[in-house]
């Protein structure tokens, strides 16, 4: 079982948090902080597994993480999951994000956390791995988005236009600051198909 | 209309959306909290508006704020509103929000049940999908109970996308509502062979998760998984299955034997590291479970260790880590194979990665021997000095102690060395394991008698240098060591050379800064020391000195009397009075030493940690009854005296969390201070030169001088452990030389034998023959008589997974039903497809066989004389089975139909396991007809196997089996009892309902049988769903099935986009022989007031060995009016209003010759005609149902003598009369 999936940046700012067990909001924040603390102090070239934060889990649990550019992707899992399998799943997740957002960067995650959730929902459900095939995931996500678009139809057009204008007006959203290239290939890990 | 919508959206576009919110938060870095609270106000305003789009936008923003840590539970109701929107866009937002912030405590969650049910049965697969995803995050026991049946139906949805989600969510449902496991399990099992790999993977996932918690219930699935393992190419599935086998093998050693070969093949062939790693892991588990009698055993271990070495040597840190992790598993059973890689592991200790170092440490635990213990510990001590972070250093410390103390100090040859290591460890600054060191010191000093004098001298030194340790007074800090030191010096003071000096050290004013519990021990042991000093001084005839000693105590003790710690205070006052009395006696020139020593005579023996629990309660003692009437609690809690030696006891328990204690203490202190301040009678402690403990609460204000720690702290005069290493080496050298002569003799003898053997024995000799330096008498811990140390009481009774420990092989009984609001029994339990029934029976048989097997084992143990009776006893069991069967009559009637294809090979686990590699095709024939003769075979093999294994193992094995068989038997009896009761109550009124089925035969030929059920669609008034179960009756493979009907004007089959009205719909599965599966088809209807008949055809390809042929089967699909009705609950007041409204037309019906009990009758109407009971009074009941187009149908059912009259009202008379006709028909058929 996957207990939680967290994404935060190099400063510990949460970009996505998905807990598959219930915690209060305060505990969730503590867990994020603790996890960030544990993960961020590790060097780049050490292993991607970490035994235990105090808050989440217990002895059976592991943190499995990957660091891409400015973002940490952390999965908290118990012993029924294969460690290398989860590492691969993270890779699939990031590659899927990359495909759905077209060159994903941290800003995409900042402004479209709902979309990230929707993508994640096609991969992991209730803490269990639902789908690992990227094409399948992308197909479903696309189909859902298509449906959303068709629903918005005529009524959605003005809102979209306004939002485009809003984005245009603000110099603060520079798409060209591509914060690092997120798609880093996994070293030494034979692909897991 | 369109204009209005556009206008609405133009209004909306000036609302803040999620992106604006995020942008705003980023722009308000300084006053983020203020900005967000303004946003929340705005959101609250938005939520009040009627426009669902605005609400959805607000909820979307709330979801984001929730991630930032804001509590949004106040908006739960709005979230539900958004969830129930008909638009997918908003629904998705709603479900996402719900999945993020709903939980079992959310009270409005019960309002979602109907909405979720509606979404689950939505024709749009994404609506269903999003509902399933959401539900998986917030499912509660209530939701699980109410929706279990709906989800189970979705497990056979036509779309794999829905199927896999439905399968996966079942795990959550099982967790929350364990009763659903048994009825749902057959279908779940079926999904293991789903044509879609995603669904298959989901099913494997769920079963693995279930089996991990209660593996023994899933042993019967082993053959099926084995088949999957050898056929699947999906690594995810393989990994899960292999992991599952790892959990199963400890329960069934024969399984391991079967697994070794394919796993070894996988290890050799796979390129995926993850798979390789899991294979190695499972092989290790198999090897652990197998007895050592296996011939090719060592080869497998060698393979594993070899592969792991490759992993560890890899430059990828992840592989290195995992390699070490797996290695530690091998270590437990085959330490020898790991020990040869000691170099590699020691190398990992120097790795820069902490995780890897920790794993390497774990391994060291098993690598030590008498020979290398000192060397390894020395290495670790160097690491301790070098380590930077306290966590890693503490981990090292615990590992050193673990390694040394393992298996009762087995590897320690020199306890002086160990004590000096412990003393060296006390130099660690800021460790949190002072307690651990202390308990080791106590343990060693108490249990190793020979070491006491050395230990005492070391401890005396520690007490002398207490100032070095006392700097850190935090709980569990290193000062805990003083606790042990003081106690050891006191208790074994007869070994002290200069007890006087130690006594002085114990009474130093500085001691009062120590934590209370340590001071208490100091005070108590001061007296013990005093007794020793007194005895010596009086023995020497030096009365003057003796009196001076007494004087010293009287002078120093008051500092403890003033202590704020109650324990210290109490002990000190007591002792002070005692000493004063002694002083008086001494003044009278009476020699007191003997009497004082008598206070502490007798030896304290170590007591096993569980001993207290095992003391039997004497007869007639009721521990729960009050001795006195309970007093009202007026004292504050901290006045409770602490148990005197309570610190000693948690030796084996975990150290407490210091933070909590600290906090609590601070709180209590605060409370007490306030109490004291407001109490006019409380005299505040006068400022004394000694700092009171109370004041130490404010140590923060005292400037602390940082000690430069770059200079290693050395306690003056303290022995270094290295010294002992050297000494020990010398000693061993000497020993060796002494032995050489003997050895030479031996060697000469051995020369005649094989070379390898000689080498071997020489090796073990050098390792085992190291005699300990001291003649060590390690005392065992005391236990009450007749009590055995056992672990049975360690199990956690609150394990949430315990509820899922359900025997899945037992046949389903009536009580195994999913509660169905719609009064439709689940498909799984009434076995709509005969296949399922057969399969269950197969399982039943198999479980019986296992039972039989076990019974036989037991009898074998008693005496072998029963051997000939075995087949007879087998028959007996079989007969019992016959007696058991009548419970589900429907299942039986179906099982009497000849099973065209016998159950798959998993019907007999025993047989599967015992046969080395029987081809699966020929197996079933063997299994079915001769159940009594066949089990002989596996048994024999088992016997052989057992005789091979060691005696010890055998015994254990047998014991286990015996226990199991007992348990099984008991269960069996219970079962029988329950059933007999059921049979006994047959005549009673509330007799259990016979299983019912709505599935009616559609068409049948020699190849295939179709049964179908028609149900209205809850959401769409113009749709009905036809569920058809296809069963392959023949012995050939059926594929390319196509389902087609001739549409009528009124009723049309919903075909995929672009298909013409003449095209059929492909059935989304293929049918191997004997298998059945369900497909659903959606029809649109316009008018529902009349029944309808549609002609249809099923075309399919029959594939036999000779070739394949096209076949077709015609059928007539009857849409009854009943099928347009939907069970809808109705409250009695609403019902009454409806009847009063006068809009309904009346009709009535009288049924004659009805003999069935009234509640049966009602249940039948409910079940077959989708009604629900509104109210029932004696022999009269009102019922209600609604058509998919909203017609109300009300019934008033009255029963008289053998007749039933039904008065009915409905707003559509034609529909009503048709429904009544159908009801009549139902009862005409059954009666």
């Amino acid at each position: 079982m996957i207990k939680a999936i967290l994404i935060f940046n190099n400063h510990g700012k949460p970009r996505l948090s998905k807990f598959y067990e219930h915690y209060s909001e305060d505990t969730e924040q503590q867990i994020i902080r603790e996890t960030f603390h544990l993960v961020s102090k590790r060097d780049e070239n050490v292993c991607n597994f970490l035994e235990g934060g105090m808050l989440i889990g217990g002895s059976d649990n592991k943190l499995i993480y990957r660091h891409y550019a400015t973002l940490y992707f952390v999965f908290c899992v118990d012993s029924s999951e294969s460690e290398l399998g989860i590492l691969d799943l993270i890779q699939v997740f990031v590659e899927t994000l990359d495909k759905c957002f077209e060159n994903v960067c941290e800003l995409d995650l900042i402004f479209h956390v709902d979309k990230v959730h929707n993508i994640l929902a096609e991969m992991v459900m209730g803490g269990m791995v639902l789908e690992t095939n990227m094409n399948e995931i992308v197909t479903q996500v696309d189909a859902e988005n298509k449906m959303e678009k068709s629903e918005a139809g005529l009524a959605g057009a003005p809102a979209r236009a306004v939002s485009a204008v809003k984005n245009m007006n603000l110099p603060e959203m520079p798409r060209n600051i591509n914060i690092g290239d997120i798609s880093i290939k996994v070293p030494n890990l034979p692909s897991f198909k | 209309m369109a204009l209005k919508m556009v206008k609405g959206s133009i209004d909306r576009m000036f609302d803040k959306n999620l992106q604006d919110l995020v942008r705003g938060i980023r722009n308000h870095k300084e006053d983020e909290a203020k900005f967000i609270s303004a946003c929340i106000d705005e959101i609250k305003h938005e939520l009040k508006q009627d426009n669902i789009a605005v609400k959805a936008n607000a909820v979307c923003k709330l979801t984001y704020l929730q991630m930032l840590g804001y509590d949004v539970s106040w908006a739960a109701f709005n979230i539900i509103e958004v969830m129930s929107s008909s638009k997918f866009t908003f629904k998705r937002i709603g479900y996402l929000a719900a999945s993020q912030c709903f939980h079992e405590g959310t009270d409005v969650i019960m309002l979602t049940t109907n909405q979720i049910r509606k979404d689950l049965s939505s024709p749009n697969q994404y609506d269903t999908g999003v509902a399933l995803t959401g539900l998986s995050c917030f499912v509660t026991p209530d939701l699980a109970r109410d929706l279990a049946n709906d989800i189970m139906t979705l497990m056979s949805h036509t779309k794999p996308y829905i199927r896999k989600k439905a399968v996966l969510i079942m795990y959550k449902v099982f967790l929350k509502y364990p009763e659903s496991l048994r009825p749902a399990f057959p279908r779940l099992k079926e999904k293991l062979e789903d044509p879609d790999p995603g669904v298959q993977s989901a099913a494997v996932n769920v079963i693995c998760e279930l089996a991990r918690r209660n593996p023994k219930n899933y042993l019967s699935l082993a053959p099926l998984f084995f088949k999957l393992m050898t056929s699947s190419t999906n690594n995810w599935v393989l990994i899960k299955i292999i992991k599952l086998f790892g959990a199963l093998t400890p329960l069934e050693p024969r399984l391991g034997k079967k697994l070794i070969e394919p796993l070894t093949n996988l290890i050799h062939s796979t390129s995926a590291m993850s798979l390789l790693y899991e294979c190695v892991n499972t092989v290790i588990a198999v090897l652990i479970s197998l007895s050592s009698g296996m011939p090719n055993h060592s080869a497998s271990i060698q393979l594993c260790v070899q592969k792991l070495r490759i992993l560890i040597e890899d430059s990828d840190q992840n592989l290195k880590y995992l390699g070490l992790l797996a290695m530690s598993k091998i270590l437990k059973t085959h330490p020898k194979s790991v020990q040869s890689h000691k170099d590699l592991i020691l190398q990992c200790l120097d790795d820069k990665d902490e995780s890897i170092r920790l794993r390497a440490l774990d391994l060291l635990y098993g690598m030590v021997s008498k020979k290398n213990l000192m060397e390894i510990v020395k290495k670790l001590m160097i690491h301790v000095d070098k380590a930077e972070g306290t966590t890693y250093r503490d981990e090292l410390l615990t590992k050193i102690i673990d390694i040394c103390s393992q298996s009762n100090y087995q590897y320690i040859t020199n306890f002086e060395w160990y004590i000096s290591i412990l003393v060296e460890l006390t130099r660690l600054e800021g460790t949190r394991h002072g307690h651990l060191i202390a308990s080791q010191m106590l343990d060693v000093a108490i249990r190793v008698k020979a070491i006491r004098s050395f230990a005492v001298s070391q401890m005396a030194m520690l007490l002398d240098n207490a100032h070095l340790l006392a700097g850190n007074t935090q709980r569990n800090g290193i000062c805990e060591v003083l606790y042990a030191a003081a106690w050891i010096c006191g208790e074994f003071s007869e070994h002290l050379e200069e007890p006087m000096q130690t006594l002085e050290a114990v009474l130093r004013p500085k001691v009062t800064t120590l934590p209370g519990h340590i001071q208490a021990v100091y005070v108590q042991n001061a007296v013990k020391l005093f007794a020793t000093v007194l005895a010596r001084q009086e023995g020497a005839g030096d009365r003057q000195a003796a009196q001076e000693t007494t004087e010293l105590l009287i002078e120093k003790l008051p500092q403890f009397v003033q202590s704020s710690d109650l324990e210290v205070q109490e002990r000190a006052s007591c002792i002070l009075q005692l000493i004063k009395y002694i002083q008086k006696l001494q003044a009278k020139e009476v020699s007191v030493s003997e009497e004082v020593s008598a206070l502490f005579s007798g030896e304290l023996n170590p007591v096993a940690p569980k001993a207290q629990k095992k003391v039997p309660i004497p007869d007639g003692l009721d521990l729960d009854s009050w001795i006195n009437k309970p007093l009202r609690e007026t004292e504050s809690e901290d006045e409770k005296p602490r148990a005197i030696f309570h610190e000693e006891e948690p030796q084996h328990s975990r150290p407490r969390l210091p933070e909590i204690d600290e906090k609590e203490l601070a709180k209590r202190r605060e409370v007490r201070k306030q109490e004291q301040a407001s109490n006019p009678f409380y005299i505040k402690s006068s400022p004394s030169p000694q700092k009171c403990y109370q004041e130490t609460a404010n140590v923060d204000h005292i400037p602390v001088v940082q000690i430069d720690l770059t200079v290693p702290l050395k306690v003056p005069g303290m022995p270094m452990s290295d010294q002992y290493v050297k000494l020990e080496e010398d000693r061993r050298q000497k020993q060796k030389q002494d032995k050489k002569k003997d050895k030479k003799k031996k060697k000469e003898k051995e020369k005649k034998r094989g070379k390898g053997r000689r080498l071997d024995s020489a090796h073990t000799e050098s390792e085992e023959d190291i005699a300990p330096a001291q003649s060590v008498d390690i005392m065992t811990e005391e236990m009450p008589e007749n009590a055995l140390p056992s672990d049975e009481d360690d199990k956690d009774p609150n394990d949430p997974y315990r509820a899922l420990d359900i025997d899945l092989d037992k046949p389903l009984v009536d009580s195994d039903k999913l509660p169905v609001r719609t009064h439709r029994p689940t498909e799984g339990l009434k076995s709509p497809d005969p296949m399922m029934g057969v399969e269950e029976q197969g399982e039943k048989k198999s479980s019986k066989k296992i039972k039989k097997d076990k019974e036989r084992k037991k009898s074998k143990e008693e005496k072998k004389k029963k051997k000939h009776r075995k087949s007879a006893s087998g028959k007996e069991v079989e007969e019992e089975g016959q007696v058991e069967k009548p419970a589900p009559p429907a299942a039986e009637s179906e099982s009497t139909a000849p099973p065209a294809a016998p159950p798959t090979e998993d019907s007999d686990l025993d047989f599967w396991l015992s046969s080395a590699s029987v081809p699966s095709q020929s197996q079933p024939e063997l299994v079915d007809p001769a159940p009594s003769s066949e089990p002989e075979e596996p048994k024999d093999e088992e016997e052989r196997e057992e005789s091979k294994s060691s005696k010890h193992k055998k015994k254990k094995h047998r014991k286990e089996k015996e226990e199991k068989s007992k348990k099984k038997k008991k269960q069996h009896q219970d079962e029988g009892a329950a059933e007999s009761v059921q049979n006994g109550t047959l005549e009673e009124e509330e007799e259990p309902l016979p299983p019912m089925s709505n599935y009616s035969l559609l068409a049948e030929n020699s190849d295939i049988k179709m049964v179908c059920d028609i149900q209205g669609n809850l959401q769409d008034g113009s749709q009905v769903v036809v569920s058809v179960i296809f069963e392959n009756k023949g012995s050939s493979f059926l594929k390319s099935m196509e389902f087609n009907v001739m549409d009528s004007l009124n009723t049309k089959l919903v075909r995929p986009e672009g298909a013409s009205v003449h095209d059929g719909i492909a059935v989304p599965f293929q049918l191997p022989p004997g298998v059945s599966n369900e497909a659903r088809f959606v029809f649109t209807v316009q008018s529902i007031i009349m029944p309808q008949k549609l002609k249809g055809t099923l075309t399919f390809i029959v594939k036999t060995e000779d070739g394949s042929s096209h076949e077709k089967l015609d059928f007539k699909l009857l849409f009854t009016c009943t099928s347009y009705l939907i069970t809808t609950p109705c409250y009695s007041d609403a019902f009454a209003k409806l009847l009063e409204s006068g809009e309904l037309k009346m009709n009535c019906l009288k049924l004659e010759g009805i003999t069935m009990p009234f509640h049966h009758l009602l249940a039948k109407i409910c079940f077959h005609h989708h009604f629900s009971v509104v109210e029932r009074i004696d022999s009269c009941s009102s019922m209600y149902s609604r058509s998919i187009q909203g017609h109300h149908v009300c019934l008033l059912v009255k029963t008289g003598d053998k007749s039933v009259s039904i008065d009915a009202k409905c707003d559509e008379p034609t529909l009503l009369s048709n429904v009544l006709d159908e009801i009549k028909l139902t009862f005409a058929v059954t009666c």
Side-chain angles (χ1 to χ4, degrees), chain B residues 131-157:
Chain B
L132 283 171
T133 309
L135 185 62
S136 72
C137 290
F138 58 79
V139 60
T140 63
D142 284 345
L143 282 177
R145 192 192 56 229
D146 294 343
L147 297 172
N149 193 46
D150 302 66
I151 298 171
M152 206 162 105
T153 326
L154 290 180
M155 281 166 77
S156 3
H157 199 271

Side-chain angles (χ1 to χ4, degrees), chain B residues 219-239:
Chain B
L219 261 180
S220 60
L221 289 182
L224 190 56
F225 276 115
F226 190 83
K227 207 176 90 193
L228 279 178
M229 183 177 85
T230 42
S231 61
S232 177
T233 50
N234 180 343
N235 279 356
W236 281 95
V237 171
L238 278 176
I239 286 178

Side-chain angles (χ1 to χ4, degrees), chain B residues 28-68:
Chain B
H28 291 77
K29 285 230 164 70
E30 289 78 36
D31 51 349
E32 193 183 294
K34 205 173 132 205
F35 178 77
I36 289 179
S37 76
C39 285
I40 289 181
D41 286 344
E42 221 171 86
I43 288 170
K44 278 183 182 161
H45 179 71
E46 286 170 16
L47 285 176
K48 279 189 198 122
Q49 294 189 22
D50 282 335
N51 191 336
I52 191 74
V54 177
K55 270 186 190 161
N57 183 38
V59 165
C60 185
K61 287 190 277 184
L62 280 178
T63 312
Y64 181 80
L65 293 178
Q66 195 271 344
M67 183 181 80
L68 298 183

Side-chain angles (χ1 to χ4, degrees), chain A residues 5-8 14-18 93 113 116-117 120, chain B residues 67:
Chain A
I5 295 173
L6 306 173
I7 305 177
F8 41 74
R15 294 299 174 217
L16 173 128
S17 68
K18 181 90 207 167
F93 184 30
V113 66
V116 183
H117 267 296
L120 186 62
Chain B
M67 183 181 80

Side-chain angles (χ1 to χ4, degrees), chain A residues 48 51 140 148 151 167 192, chain B residues 89 92 274 318 321 359:
Chain A
N48 297 93
E51 262 121 294
Q140 302 297 354
E148 206 173 289
E151 273 180 1
N167 286 347
F192 186 94
Chain B
T89 318
R92 182 156 78 163
S274 42
N318 291 329
Y321 173 90
R359 292 284 76 76

Side-chain angles (χ1 to χ4, degrees), chain B residues 796-837:
Chain B
D796 177 13
N798 299 326
D799 184 4
Y801 302 102
R802 234 188 199 190
L804 283 179
D805 189 359
I806 295 168
D807 185 0
L808 294 163
D809 295 335
K810 257 191 330 196
L812 292 172
V813 291
D814 277 358
S815 59
D816 290 320
K817 273 184 190 168
L818 288 179
V820 186
R821 201 186 58 156
T822 53
H823 294 274
R824 276 170 54 80
T826 65
E827 279 80 357
L829 89 127
K830 65 187 156 71
S831 56
D833 47 346
M835 184 51 214
M836 231 180 257

